[in-house]
Amino acid sequence: MIYWTLKEAEGELLGLLADPNQNIFSENELARCNKMKIEKRKKEWVLGRMTAKTLLSSDGLPYAGQSMSSILIDNQPEGAPYLPNAIVAGSLSISHREDIAVAAYTSLQSTHLGIDLEKIEPREMSFVEDFFTEAEADYTMQLTGEAQTVWITLVWSAKEAVLKAWQKGLRLDTRSIEIHPIDPNLLITKPPTWQPMRWQANIAGYPHCWLGWQRLNDFILTLAYTTPESKNPADSLEIHRVDLKNFPIT
């Protein structure tokens, strides 16, 4: 089972950093956040961590009933978040864009997750030339209007999700991953469920991933998780959205 959630920013998030009675962040986490110079980055970090901690402490998950300040989230040297004092070994992934954060978690020890959120917005063709494979760029040029804008956003987000699941982030060339074309009619609709994606790795030594996407209004959400070599979508794990009933700010 994979659990995921999404939360829009509400209330004065940064005020929590100065509140001596807050029970969300540890002293080390507060110190790390306070070193950040850009307020936007601070707000994204706070919202992302709060969303992840609220997910982990939801009913049925390993940290249910625990104080959020006891749920420590750190980052691996290459950027991937992890739980240094994990009750159950597993994988955590966080993404944020503007005033929205998403988080995904699984307790499966053999699985790594990557979740990514991107806003659907126009990008210059130079962006495609720099980060897309030749096949991806060729398909981009066959599309027009909204379908092209959604496709570019989706390809970028899908690459990020896989790179996160590989625990590498943008330290690898984005062209090491190639996303296969998606029907333009599907690109401009808003599928209510996860849509599996076909893709290939152009680099050896990294595990296969299940990869899927959703469109949420003006945003694209992608999720990747490492799997055995079986690529049958019917073998995919169950993906469950969690409603954050215990989010600290309402």
Side-chain angles (χ1 to χ4, degrees):
M1 176 77 78
I2 292 173
Y3 300 91
W4 74 277
T5 195
L6 177 149
K7 186 65 180 178
E8 292 190 49
E10 297 175 353
E12 180 47 55
L13 296 179
L14 295 184
L16 293 170
L17 302 178
D19 182 358
N21 297 316
Q22 66 83 25
N23 193 26
I24 301 170
F25 303 108
S26 69
E27 290 185 6
N28 287 342
E29 288 173 323
L30 287 174
R32 177 182 175 184
C33 185
N34 286 326
K35 289 180 181 178
M36 298 177 186
K37 304 299 184 184
I38 301 173
E39 185 169 300
K40 178 178 180 293
R41 174 72 183 110
K42 275 189 177 184
K43 187 175 181 180
E44 290 174 342
W45 187 92
V46 168
L47 179 60
R49 286 306 197 270
M50 287 176 64
T51 300
K53 290 186 178 204
T54 309
L55 171 66
L56 291 165
S57 59
S58 296
D59 291 343
L61 275 87
Y63 295 84
Q66 292 198 31
S67 68
M68 291 189 187
S69 60
S70 69
I71 305 172
L72 304 181
I73 301 175
D74 206 341
N75 291 85
Q76 301 282 7
E78 294 184 325
Y82 76 104
L83 303 163
N85 297 332
I87 296 174
V88 178
S91 178
L92 174 68
S93 185
I94 304 170
S95 182
H96 30 65
R97 187 68 162 82
E98 296 190 347
D99 292 329
I100 300 177
V102 292
Y105 172 78
T106 182
S107 61
L108 294 174
Q109 298 184 32
S110 60
T111 295
H112 290 296
L113 297 177
I115 195 165
D116 188 70
L117 180 72
E118 297 290 340
K119 186 175 182 180
I120 300 170
E121 55 190 359
R123 289 176 168 84
E124 299 292 336
M125 289 308 296
S126 58
F127 177 87
V128 174
E129 294 168 358
D130 288 342
F131 298 110
F132 285 24
T133 67
E134 184 176 345
E136 292 166 342
D138 287 346
Y139 187 61
T140 301
M141 298 305 296
Q142 297 176 34
L143 301 172
T144 59
E146 182 183 4
Q148 185 185 77
T149 302
V150 173
W151 164 253
I152 293 172
T153 305
L154 177 55
V155 170
W156 176 252
S157 183
K159 289 172 182 284
E160 286 236 50
V162 173
L163 290 171
K164 287 180 178 182
W166 282 352
Q167 307 284 282
K168 289 297 180 182
L170 293 174
R171 290 163 176 79
L172 285 180
D173 188 341
T174 57
R175 288 166 292 192
S176 63
I177 295 160
E178 183 167 277
I179 308 302
H180 293 189
I182 292 175
D183 186 331
N185 292 321
L186 186 59
L187 290 171
I188 60 177
T189 61
K190 299 177 182 177
T193 57
W194 288 100
Q195 303 296 306
M197 300 176 67
R198 294 175 56 246
W199 68 284
Q200 67 187 46
N202 297 329
I203 186 173
Y206 290 92
H208 176 70
C209 293
W210 180 93
L211 177 63
W213 71 284
Q214 287 190 43
R215 179 175 175 180
L216 303 171
N217 298 320
D218 295 330
F219 292 85
I220 289 292
L221 179 65
T222 54
L223 176 68
Y225 61 84
T226 57
T227 68
E229 284 303 311
S230 170
K231 300 181 181 181
N232 184 352
D235 295 334
S236 60
L237 297 174
E238 184 176 349
I239 304 170
H240 176 67
R241 181 170 181 174
V242 176
D243 181 19
L244 299 184
K245 298 177 181 179
N246 55 332
F247 196 77
I249 297 179
T250 58

